Amino acid sequence: MLISYNTLILREICFHSATAIQYLGEDTAVSLQARHSDIQAASNIHELLVGNLSINGNHCRWLVSDNLSIVMVPNYAASDDGNLYDWSTVGRVKLMGINDVE
């Protein structure tokens, strides 16, 4: 999937180990790097095999472990009719939060 980031700090956490360690701790930062790669490699969220997915409308929370939670939304314009996206067809996501960092 293609990933965008809701804030600059989220992008920094995903691409820079030192920043990830500063915000998340070393163990969680290492786990995040692997899961970030999983998101990039997947065609849609249903291909993410590690952890538990929780979908609430157009929000998806990926609970990877007790110490890592990633919140995503589809990175498409909102539909005018208010319909929800079919997550099996979503190929672009926006990371909205990692743990408590937004």
Side-chain angles (χ1 to χ4, degrees):
M1 287 184 282
L2 296 174
I3 305 171
S4 65
Y5 307 86
N6 193 45
T7 64
L8 181 59
I9 195 62
L10 289 174
R11 187 177 193 292
E12 294 291 319
I13 288 170
C14 289
F15 285 100
H16 300 286
S17 297
T19 305
I21 291 169
Q22 176 186 351
Y23 279 88
L24 306 173
E26 189 168 349
D27 292 340
T28 304
V30 170
S31 181
L32 173 63
Q33 289 175 339
R35 302 299 69 91
H36 186 255
S37 294
D38 290 346
I39 296 169
Q40 290 175 314
S43 296
N44 64 65
I45 64 165
H46 298 294
E47 291 183 2
L48 302 174
L49 303 176
V50 175
N52 295 308
L53 291 172
S54 172
I55 299 171
N56 183 5
N58 286 333
H59 284 80
C60 173
R61 179 176 298 277
W62 187 22
L63 184 60
V64 180
S65 65
D66 289 340
N67 59 352
L68 181 59
S69 174
I70 301 170
V71 178
M72 300 173 272
V73 297
N75 192 20
Y76 300 100
S79 62
D80 292 332
D81 58 7
N83 287 333
L84 300 177
Y85 287 100
D86 175 1
W87 278 95
S88 66
T89 65
V90 172
R92 297 186 323 214
V93 294
K94 179 182 274 190
L95 266 63
M96 301 301 289
I98 299 169
N99 290 2
D100 294 330
V101 181
E102 296 182 348

